[in-house]
Amino acid sequence: MITLALSKGRIFDETAPLLEQAGIRALENPETSRKLIIGTSDNEVRLIIVRASDTPTYVQYGAADLGIAGKDVLLEHGGEGLYQPLDLHIAACRMMVAAPQGFDYARAVQQGARLRVATKYVQTAREHFGAKGVHVDLIRLYGSMELAPLVGLADAIVDLVSTGATLRANNLVAVEEILPVSARLIVNQAALKLKRGAIQPLLDAFSKAVDSNG
Ligand code: ADP
Ligand code: MG
């Protein structure tokens, strides 16, 4: 039995067509089912539904053989024990620094004053600003980052942006790109060795599905 960990929402939605191209169909819809273990049309493959930020942890400890996780989540996790063979090119967005319209980010960064930055992505933000030599006080949030600058909790935020609609709705503008983000296939390193015969065909099928989607 092969176990694939993934989160519902956009990761599941965008993975389902790839799975179908690999001949695997979920037997229940995780959006409506309360089940956290979902069988598939392939008797040897099951899905487990986890919180997006927990996916690497399930795979790292071998509770899942494979997983699908955003680059954002993998950077925060650190990638220990994980083999990352494939960029699936799904759930694409960009990790950005954003600030209130009118905030002079370039100047704030130049002046060497401490910048207060609110984010869910503390590791990535620390590395980004560290590499630039910018002093930051990082404030860890778990969601609704856009609110922080509006109520004086932070000068800027680090968040994922796709259309920019949420930023605009809150009078924020993206002032710097940190990195492009997409979802990756991850594999438990030990499982890959022990179950290579079952896992490799799945990797090949994913790879073929990704290529055929251009
Ligand atoms: P959660 O809110 O639990 O983190 P999401 O479904 O919002 O779950 O995000 C899951 C993954 O989807 C993220 O880790 C990221 O890789 C990707 N993602 C998040 N926000 C966006 C976005 N605006 N556009 C595209 N992909 C996104
Ligand atoms: Mg979200």
Side-chain angles (χ1 to χ4, degrees):
M1 174 67 77
I2 295 295
T3 302
L4 172 68
L6 77 183
S7 49
K8 53 188 184 181
R10 78 186 94 217
I11 297 273
F12 177 83
D13 294 345
E14 298 190 31
T15 299
L18 293 176
L19 282 172
E20 292 224 354
Q21 284 175 266
I24 297 167
R25 194 175 33 80
L27 295 181
E28 288 186 66
N29 179 352
E31 304 302 336
T32 50
S33 170
R34 288 169 188 265
K35 284 196 185 165
L36 299 175
I37 302 181
I38 296 184
T40 73
S41 52
D42 182 333
N43 281 331
E44 289 304 309
V45 179
R46 64 177 185 174
L47 310 178
I48 63 173
I49 306 302
V50 303
R51 186 76 199 256
S53 45
D54 291 336
T55 303
T57 306
Y58 278 87
V59 179
Q60 173 188 1
Y61 288 98
D65 302 298
L66 302 103
I68 295 170
K71 182 76 182 164
D72 52 320
V73 161
L74 290 169
L75 288 171
E76 290 299 304
H77 171 272
E80 199 189 329
L82 303 177
Y83 171 55
Q84 300 183 30
L86 198 58
D87 182 348
L88 299 172
H89 298 293
I90 58 169
C93 54
R94 293 177 295 163
M95 194 179 294
M96 309 279 285
V97 183
Q101 225 148 26
F103 179 77
D104 194 342
Y105 176 69
R107 181 151 168 222
V109 162
Q110 266 174 14
Q111 281 180 338
R114 295 190 80 84
L115 195 67
R116 284 177 314 148
V117 177
T119 187
K120 186 161 125 179
Y121 305 104
V122 175
Q123 300 295 345
T124 313
R126 184 177 292 117
E127 247 181 61
H128 172 73
F129 291 109
K132 287 167 61 88
V134 175
H135 298 288
V136 287
D137 288 321
L138 292 169
I139 300 166
R140 210 233 189 266
L141 292 178
Y142 293 87
S144 300
M145 268 84 83
E146 295 83 3
L147 179 62
L150 307 183
V151 294
L153 180 62
D155 302 311
I157 61 172
V158 167
D159 198 4
L160 299 178
V161 179
S162 48
T163 64
T166 307
L167 292 183
R168 270 193 301 281
N170 292 291
N171 297 315
L172 302 176
V173 287
V175 290
E176 188 170 55
E177 172 163 344
I178 298 181
L179 79 155
V181 166
S182 56
R184 314 295 161 108
L185 189 64
I186 55 175
V187 187
N188 176 277
Q189 282 173 352
L192 184 60
K193 291 198 190 97
L194 296 169
K195 301 190 192 174
R196 168 77 79 169
I199 291 176
Q200 191 62 50
L202 209 50
L203 298 188
D204 294 343
F206 265 113
S207 177
K208 205 171 147 215
V210 171
D211 286 346
S212 78
N213 293 349

